[in-house]
Amino acid sequence: MRGPIFFLILFLGFGTLEAQEDIFGIDTKARTKNRKAQSDIGNVTRNLISNISFEFSGGGAYHNSVIDFLSETPGQYPISQFRNLDSLRELTGEDTLRFSGGSYAFPVNLGVRINVFNTLTIGGGYGREFGNISSLQADNYEWNFEQNSYVIDRFYGTVGLVLYDARKRAKYLSWRYRRYGSSNFYMQSEKNQRIRQNYPWRFILEGEFGNVIMRQSFDENLNANDRSFYSVGLRIEREFSEYSRIFVKAGAEFRNFGFQSQNLNEFQDLSQTLYIAQVGFSINLPGTKRCKVEGCGVVMRHLHDGVEYRGSSIFRMQNRKIGQWY
């Protein structure tokens, strides 16, 4: 008789401890959605700012410039002979040429992103591009610019679609193991273990659009003020914690400029295509406050008086698993 009574008391004791807080004020009750502030307004605000991130990126680009030339007065443009051949002649209004050439640029960007239900990202930013442009060639003719270097400012907005991340991976694994019944404990255990694994990668299809402003032009006849552009790219992120990550991004950008003739009666379209590769760092605003309770040494996310706190830097995983402590 004493045995069952002992276990009953032990069970009730553990149940009482589970519903209470320990000596550090840590609420041990499991919750899926915890408050981040005592007031309702503060809680809503912190949930909102936790979806905002700031980022910095830089990289390189190869740009290809093209002019489909057709003019009634070819002599009004800076075209010269590329080779001194006797067979060359002066261009006439009936000649059509395709001038093209490539060179390199180095863009840097500062941006802000807002996460929308882990499905979309929207944001914008500012960028500066330092580049060079070489002479454009067509057959034996050459289009010469006044100088080779330029500086461009970019103001842009961006929209991204999350193609694959930890949540989509969990859904994919659930679909993949759908043919195994609940009675197959081995396969169900394998599925759950794979879902619980840390998956730090995220793949995003992004589109950008905005305007470019020429700060230092490579030719005074170039009409490049407030020109629009658009780009598409694939962004791959690798998380270091819930708040910090690095990313690489590759894509193509398209924009057009106008090259004015000397008599101002006509112009030629200068189209540029940039193939860009960038590396950057992104950091989220922490919606959860750092724990400052005296004597509390918990390094994982935890509760005090029903409010969630974090015990680690934003550059560390908050709820670390085996292998993530060092």
Side-chain angles (χ1 to χ4, degrees), residues 56-73:
F56 171 80
S57 64
Y62 174 81
H63 63 82
N64 183 41
S65 302
V66 175
I67 296 178
D68 290 321
F69 181 75
L70 177 62
S71 173
E72 296 180 356
T73 56

Side-chain angles (χ1 to χ4, degrees), residues 108-126:
V108 292
N109 299 298
L110 288 172
V112 60
R113 295 288 190 278
I114 300 176
N115 180 27
V116 183
F117 304 117
N118 292 310
T119 301
L120 295 175
T121 61
I122 58 175
Y126 161 80

Side-chain angles (χ1 to χ4, degrees), residues 1-12:
M1 189 67 180
R2 292 182 179 180
I5 295 176
F6 172 76
F7 285 109
L8 178 60
I9 295 174
L10 187 63
F11 175 78
L12 293 175

Side-chain angles (χ1 to χ4, degrees), residues 197-257:
Q197 287 177 342
N198 181 48
Y199 187 77
W201 301 98
R202 189 161 73 150
F203 300 83
I204 304 174
L205 178 65
E206 281 195 344
E208 288 185 3
F209 54 90
N211 292 331
V212 297
I213 299 176
M214 189 71 73
R215 297 302 184 188
Q216 177 184 327
S217 180
F218 49 84
D219 200 298
E220 64 178 7
N221 295 315
L222 190 70
N223 181 12
N225 290 327
D226 196 20
R227 289 283 179 169
S228 61
F229 74 92
Y230 68 94
S231 66
V232 293
L234 178 65
R235 172 175 170 142
I236 303 175
E237 296 182 350
R238 204 281 185 187
E239 292 183 345
F240 287 116
S241 71
E242 291 88 337
Y243 306 104
S244 60
R245 65 198 63 85
I246 63 169
F247 64 88
V248 295
K249 180 180 178 181
E253 181 176 308
F254 309 92
R255 62 196 184 198
N256 292 283
F257 303 123

